[in-house]
Amino acid sequence: MNSYLTFKVVDEVFAVHVSHVMEIREYEKPKPVPQKVDFIAGLIEFRDEVIPLINTGLKFNLGSVEASQNSVIVILNLQKEGEEDDYRVAVMADAVSDVLELEEGELKSIHQEYKPGYVSGTYSKDGAFVFVLDPDQVFTRNDVIEMDKILAAAKEQ
């Protein structure tokens, strides 16, 4: 069995393996960044570091996640492609749903032609699709480089 945290982004439900989830917290307004990538909403503090807050709706081409009383921030620990270093990002979600317990055979694959690289499969729940993320593939190498530049610029201020 594998455990996945599910969360809503605009009108879609996504799931991420709980091993990547560091914390779930109430939405907080991020600190603005001068040179930002479209999907970066700003920066927030997490423990002893500053991390980017990702507008997940924009990243997934679903439209912007607008902050509401149900909005949450999910802190994820991710692996850089081809490197041993990990990094943390905060992702905005309209709401956290629940934790799914799934066996590998319950995940359905999506034809490669229609599947974004960061979706590893789907699960059908109550007549709706849950898109299961491969969180280490959500951000391209260029995305990570841009986030690193923004964080470095923020440290200089």
Side-chain angles (χ1 to χ4, degrees):
M1 287 294 249
N2 286 298
S3 299
Y4 296 89
L5 175 72
T6 61
F7 54 93
K8 186 175 181 204
V9 176
V10 186
D11 292 325
E12 303 296 340
V13 177
F14 292 89
V16 64
H17 197 278
V18 296
S19 64
H20 290 279
V21 177
M22 297 186 74
E23 187 174 292
I24 302 167
R25 59 166 75 164
E26 289 181 14
Y27 175 80
E28 62 186 79
K29 187 175 179 176
K31 292 168 183 59
V33 290
Q35 52 177 356
K36 69 177 188 173
V37 179
D38 288 345
F39 60 81
I40 296 180
L43 302 173
I44 65 167
E45 292 181 22
F46 174 68
R47 299 185 183 158
D48 61 347
E49 65 182 309
V50 175
I51 62 174
L53 176 62
I54 307 302
N55 187 316
T56 317
L58 293 177
K59 178 62 183 162
F60 295 155
N61 294 316
L62 299 172
S64 184
V65 172
E66 300 301 328
S68 72
Q69 69 183 38
N70 293 328
S71 296
V72 295
I73 294 174
V74 180
I75 310 292
L76 299 176
N77 192 54
L78 305 176
Q79 197 75 34
K80 290 183 180 180
E81 183 181 336
E83 295 183 27
E84 290 184 25
D85 292 341
D86 58 352
Y87 65 103
R88 276 139 306 285
V89 297
V91 297
M92 294 172 62
D94 290 304
V96 168
S97 301
D98 55 11
V99 174
L100 288 176
E101 298 290 337
L102 300 176
E103 293 184 30
E104 284 300 320
E106 294 181 273
L107 291 178
K108 306 283 188 263
S109 62
I110 301 174
H111 190 281
Q112 201 63 32
E113 186 176 330
Y114 306 108
K115 180 180 97 153
Y118 52 80
V119 174
S120 59
T122 63
Y123 174 75
S124 183
K125 180 181 179 194
D126 302 326
F129 282 118
V130 174
F131 295 97
V132 178
L133 296 174
D134 179 347
D136 293 329
Q137 299 301 313
V138 170
F139 301 101
T140 65
R141 186 163 181 77
N142 286 341
D143 290 343
V144 174
I145 290 169
E146 288 302 314
M147 286 188 283
D148 285 345
K149 285 180 187 176
I150 291 168
L151 293 172
K155 287 179 185 174
E156 291 175 7
Q157 293 181 351

